[in-house]
Amino acid sequence: IAFPDAVYLVDAIEGGKELVEACKPALESNHVTKVIHDCKRDSEALYFQFGIKLHNVMDTQIAYSLIEEQEGKKRAYDVYISFVSLLADPRYCGMPYPEKEEVRTLLRQDPNFWKNRPLSEMMIRAATDDVRFLLNIHEKMMEKLSKVSSWRLAVRSELYCRCFCINDNQQADWPPLPTVPDDIEAEARVPEVDILSLLDVPPGKMGRVIGRKGSSIMAVKESCNVEIHIGGAKGPPDRVFIIGPVKEVRKAEAILRGRMLEF
């Protein structure tokens, strides 16, 4: 956890559940902004392991895409900026991060890499570098974002937080999504609000949903202007998550349901 004057390493293995739960008020607070790059899996782990509903997040992966869109740049629908690429971008940080790939290699070789204790110097550096640049990046991004884009960022970041956090009450116990701020000028074009939709995929049908080399998913993303996330190996493997404007999400749902019915 990075603050302007220090970085704290919260060790869930050594400190246990009580230590992580001590962070719960801040992680769920509406008054403390959490800056994270692609928070979906972090939020999932906090929710299912510690009952923490991550809230009031500014996701730098989403912010990057919104700034690119704001500047008239079109991105491929299956491309999301990686943290390493974001750090390397001179507009935000201009810092190479080769050690990240080294850690990924070690993690592939040993899935229990992060359970090793005591923490090695490389582990401490990697954990620290994952957060210590984010506050500065956040500041630079917020200077670029328009009021409308800032609102869209807040909404989509909330949807990222709850994307893989499936429960039986349709996430009714999560905080409400941010409403359109009063200070957005009346003449500003306010886009349709984003929503999160979950589709259950019957056994044996996920291949049809994804398509050869992802072609089906890619076609739906392009035609509907939505994000589509699949649990994959990390789970849940039988569900598809769609994020985007209401009408576009409904259209994507219909197309994907049609694919499931194909023989």
Side-chain angles (χ1 to χ4, degrees):
I1 302 178
F3 291 85
D5 58 346
V7 174
Y8 296 87
L9 302 187
V10 181
D11 191 336
I13 292 177
E14 290 290 315
K17 191 172 183 178
E18 287 184 0
L19 178 62
V20 180
E21 287 182 344
C23 302
K24 181 173 181 173
L27 294 171
E28 293 188 343
S29 171
N30 192 45
H31 306 290
V32 179
T33 301
K34 279 69 66 176
V35 184
I36 307 177
H37 188 83
D38 190 12
C39 67
K40 294 189 294 295
R41 291 297 182 185
D42 294 318
S43 182
E44 179 189 32
L46 288 168
Y47 181 69
F48 286 112
Q49 294 180 43
F50 303 103
I52 294 172
K53 302 181 190 74
L54 191 61
H55 175 54
N56 194 21
V57 166
M58 183 278 197
D59 193 302
T60 52
Q61 188 177 74
I62 301 170
Y64 183 91
S65 296
L66 287 172
I67 292 169
E68 295 290 287
E69 180 183 319
Q70 197 175 276
E71 295 176 350
K73 298 172 186 173
K74 187 173 175 60
R75 69 171 178 88
Y77 285 92
D78 60 339
V79 175
Y80 304 97
I81 186 80
S82 71
F83 185 55
V84 173
S85 297
L86 177 62
L87 285 184
D89 191 322
R91 294 174 298 173
Y92 302 110
C93 190
M95 180 74 66
Y97 191 6
E99 200 166 67
K100 183 76 170 179
E101 191 52 48
E102 293 178 41
V103 171
R104 283 178 179 156
T105 300
L106 291 170
L107 190 57
R108 283 192 292 267
Q109 295 170 352
D110 177 14
N112 293 317
F113 171 76
W114 282 108
K115 291 183 179 179
N116 295 327
R117 293 297 181 276
L119 293 169
S120 67
E121 287 188 14
M122 172 187 271
M123 294 166 80
I124 291 172
R125 282 199 308 273
T128 302
D129 287 347
D130 269 353
V131 297
R132 69 187 178 103
F133 302 109
L134 283 172
L135 293 180
N136 188 46
I137 291 171
H138 167 259
E139 186 177 328
K140 291 180 178 179
M141 285 183 157
M142 294 310 292
E143 289 174 357
K144 291 175 177 286
L145 287 163
S146 68
K147 289 180 180 179
V148 171
S149 293
S150 295
W151 167 67
R152 292 179 65 197
L153 170 62
V155 172
R156 193 160 288 210
S157 293
E158 287 295 316
L159 296 178
Y160 264 37
C161 284
R162 60 194 75 184
C163 183
F164 295 129
C165 300
I166 305 158
N167 58 23
D168 296 329
N169 64 2
Q170 303 295 313
Q171 300 176 332
D173 55 338
W174 285 69
L177 295 176
T179 56
V180 181
D182 294 332
D183 61 349
I184 290 181
E185 293 81 0
E187 64 269 17
R189 179 185 170 274
V190 179
E192 189 178 21
V193 68
D194 286 341
I195 63 167
L196 166 66
S197 175
L198 163 65
L199 281 185
D200 288 306
V201 180
K205 296 292 186 179
M206 187 59 83
R208 292 195 178 278
V209 169
I210 296 173
R212 186 179 178 86
K213 295 183 178 180
S215 58
S216 293
I217 286 286
M218 205 44 222
V220 177
K221 286 181 180 180
E222 290 181 358
S223 63
C224 300
N225 191 26
V226 294
E227 289 187 31
I228 301 178
H229 302 283
I230 296 171
K234 294 181 181 179
D238 57 347
R239 289 186 166 108
V240 173
F241 303 86
I242 310 170
I243 296 176
V246 178
K247 291 178 183 176
E248 298 300 316
V249 167
R250 299 301 179 226
K251 185 166 73 170
E253 288 173 342
I255 296 172
L256 292 175
R257 286 196 178 100
R259 299 267 163 82
M260 295 179 206
L261 296 174
E262 292 175 358
F263 295 101

